[in-house]
């Protein structure tokens, strides 16, 4: 064997050692990728039922909001009717009540003016 052959064998051995040293991290990286794939699959499997639950919850919430909207519409109509009724009562009963109150005040004032003033007696404070 010549010197060149020995140098070639040494270079081949160093290259094989380098390949072995690089193979270990590559194999570990492959294991990491397998774990990542497994984690993603489990997350995906867990997210699907969660999405179904969220969809059902949103659907139920929309139905309840439609009911609340109907109730709010009815309350708005009722408040408009009550406002109209109070305006009607104020217009119908309010004016005569004001006239009666003014008349009674006038009668009291007239009767109070006709009474004799109290004689010297007790004073009120």
């Amino acid at each position: 064997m010549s010197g060149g052959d020995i140098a070639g064998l040494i270079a081949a051995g160093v290259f094989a050692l380098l390949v072995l040293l690089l193979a270990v991290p590559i194999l570990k990286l492959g294991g990491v990728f397998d774990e990542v794939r497994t984690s993603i699959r489990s997350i995906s499997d867990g997210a699907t039922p969660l999405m179904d639950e969220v969809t059902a919850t949103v659907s139920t919430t929309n139905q309840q909001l439609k009911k609340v909207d109907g109730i709010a519409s009815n309350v708005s109509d009722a408040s408009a009717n009550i406002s109209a009724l109070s305006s009607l009562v104020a217009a119908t009963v309010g004016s005569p009540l004001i006239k009666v109150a003014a008349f009674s005040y006038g009668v009291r004032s007239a009767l109070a003016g006709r009474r004799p003033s109290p004689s010297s007696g007790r004073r009120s404070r």
Side-chain angles (χ1 to χ4, degrees):
M1 232 186 237
S2 69
D5 291 336
I6 294 176
L9 283 174
I10 291 174
V14 169
F15 184 73
L17 184 63
L18 180 65
V19 168
L20 285 175
L21 288 175
L22 289 177
V24 171
I26 289 173
L27 289 174
K28 287 184 179 181
L29 185 62
V32 169
F33 284 148
D34 288 340
E35 288 294 322
V36 168
R37 185 182 317 123
T38 305
S39 297
I40 290 173
R41 184 174 294 130
S42 67
I43 288 172
S44 174
D45 291 343
T48 302
L50 184 62
M51 291 290 197
D52 292 340
E53 286 183 32
V54 168
T55 302
T57 302
V58 168
S59 175
T60 304
T61 303
N62 283 338
Q63 291 173 357
Q64 295 300 323
L65 285 176
K66 286 178 184 176
K67 290 179 182 178
V68 169
D69 187 38
I71 292 170
S73 175
N74 291 338
V75 167
S76 175
D77 292 343
S79 65
N81 291 339
I82 289 171
S83 175
L85 182 64
S86 68
S87 297
L88 179 66
V89 167
T92 305
V93 178
S95 180
L97 282 178
I98 291 172
K99 289 178 183 178
V100 167
F103 178 74
S104 67
Y105 177 74
V107 169
R108 277 187 306 196
S109 297
L111 291 178
R114 296 184 75 193
R115 288 188 188 158
S117 60
S119 60
S120 62
R122 292 167 136 191
R123 285 191 194 170
S124 58
R125 292 183 190 182

